[in-house]
Amino acid sequence: MEWLPIGIVIALAMGFNYTNGFHDAANAIATSVSTRALTPRVALGMAAVANLFGAFFGKKVADTVGKGIIEAPQGSVGLLICAAALIGAIGWNLLTWWYGLPSSSSHALIGGLGGAALAAGATVKWAGIWEKVVIPMVASPIVGIIVGYLAMTAILWLFRRAQPGKVSRGFRYAQTASAAAMAFGHGLQDASKTAGVVVLALTVGGYHTGSEVPWWVLLMSAIVISLGTYAGGWRIMRTLGRRIIHLDPPHGFAAESTAAGILYVAGMGFGAPISTTHTITSAIMGVGSTKRLSAVRWGVASNIVGAWIFTFPGAGLAAAVAFYIGNAILL
């Protein structure tokens, strides 16, 4: 029975991880599927495998989430904070998935941690949130739009005299690699975030000390997010793959390569838990703008941005309510 509370928190973490997988599956493969570079099931299988391997390269991200967001108290209150944060994040993921909005699972988790900590009167590390979350949250979409635009402009210039049919076929094959790179970055970022919360729960529960992320935590996070990815996220895939802009293989390759590069630099270089959703969506907007600005369906984009804005407070509020209910029942 001593293991029951920590077991419940770990189960919730894996539940969030699973929803993260099918919620964000579209991030890695929507462009490849929409351009018919890959069939949906092949794309999902490839993304699941790449997620699995990417998870083992995100220790810096796991450290940021586990240690740099909140200062959870030891014991049952700390475990309840972790559980409430995960419940809030899961709820937000399911809500935005239902409406087909590619919101950020990462920011739902961080918002949940902040909301639960505030409800419990625990310390929120605002300096860490500002440096590792807010600044990257604002910067990554801007970088995604600019780099996506520049990458697509370079492709158009390099292949300006090539036969369009051959170019399209070549980039259709190249998208297999760029989609795999994007999925690897998703595992690096998002599986590691869940691992960070599990380590936080183990620490406050008295089951873990030190700075290392246990190998079994990473392995479990990697497997579960891969299973969630393979389950697919068809509602959000339609939004990213078709509703923002119609993409052809060169545009899809440019968007995926841009997003993957940003994820690698942020995760392995700075340990910043940025949103894969924000990154790929902004890259698609930047790539699409090379056609003409009006080619991007900015009305759809504005709905997505609205979901981004409300993710922090929405998940945080849900987590705070979950904490108050849990506190009244259990403590």
Side-chain angles (χ1 to χ4, degrees):
M1 293 300 292
E2 291 181 2
W3 269 90
L4 183 60
I6 190 68
I8 291 173
V9 175
I10 292 174
L12 285 170
M14 293 306 111
F16 166 77
N17 207 22
Y18 187 84
T19 66
N20 192 345
F22 75 71
H23 189 279
D24 290 0
N27 296 345
I29 65 170
T31 55
S32 296
V33 172
S34 69
T35 61
R36 298 184 180 179
L38 297 170
T39 62
R41 281 300 166 193
V42 169
L44 284 168
M46 177 274 298
V49 173
N51 267 333
L52 182 65
F53 285 101
F56 293 95
F57 291 82
K59 182 183 181 301
K60 287 186 177 181
V61 175
D63 287 342
T64 297
V65 174
K67 303 173 185 176
I69 305 300
I70 65 171
E71 190 71 52
Q74 294 289 316
S76 56
V77 174
L79 288 174
L80 183 56
I81 289 173
C82 294
L86 290 162
I87 291 170
I90 291 170
W92 188 259
N93 271 357
L94 293 176
L95 178 67
T96 51
W97 167 80
W98 180 257
Y99 287 102
L101 292 173
S103 67
S104 170
S105 297
S106 307
H107 293 156
L109 178 60
I110 293 168
L113 285 170
L118 289 173
T123 301
V124 178
K125 298 180 180 179
W126 295 110
I129 290 177
W130 176 259
E131 179 184 349
K132 294 288 188 178
V133 180
V134 176
I135 292 177
M137 179 184 71
V138 174
S140 58
I142 295 172
V143 173
I145 290 173
I146 294 172
V147 176
Y149 180 88
L150 294 175
M152 192 61 221
T153 300
I155 289 173
L156 291 173
W157 185 84
L158 288 171
F159 294 93
R160 64 191 183 280
R161 294 189 178 90
Q163 184 179 345
K166 288 183 178 180
V167 171
S168 184
R169 283 193 298 273
F171 276 103
R172 188 170 282 115
Y173 291 123
Q175 269 199 275
T176 303
S178 62
M182 178 66 200
F184 184 92
H186 179 239
L188 182 155
Q189 281 280 344
D190 287 32
S192 302
K193 293 162 191 168
T194 303
V197 175
V198 173
V199 171
L200 175 63
L202 290 170
T203 301
V204 299
Y207 295 100
H208 178 73
T209 57
S211 60
E212 290 300 314
V213 179
W215 67 267
W216 62 269
V217 174
L218 278 175
L219 181 61
M220 182 168 56
S221 298
I223 291 172
V224 172
I225 200 171
S226 297
L227 292 174
T229 297
Y230 191 70
W234 305 108
R235 292 172 182 268
I236 295 172
M237 201 179 298
R238 284 192 290 270
T239 299
L240 279 179
R242 299 175 186 174
R243 293 181 60 199
I244 297 176
I245 189 170
H246 177 73
L247 296 171
D248 56 23
H251 287 80
F253 174 82
E256 289 167 342
S257 300
T258 295
I262 294 171
L263 292 174
Y264 296 167
V265 171
M268 291 190 282
F270 299 100
I274 66 170
S275 167
T276 55
T277 307
H278 291 195
T279 307
I280 187 62
T281 305
S282 60
I284 290 172
M285 292 178 188
V287 165
S289 297
T290 59
K291 292 184 176 182
R292 61 185 186 282
L293 286 177
S294 60
V296 178
R297 296 186 179 98
W298 296 106
V300 175
S302 66
N303 291 337
I304 294 171
V305 172
W308 293 356
I309 293 171
F310 287 107
T311 293
F312 270 120
L317 180 61
V321 171
F323 178 83
Y324 285 130
I325 293 173
N327 188 57
I329 296 173
L330 301 173
L331 301 181

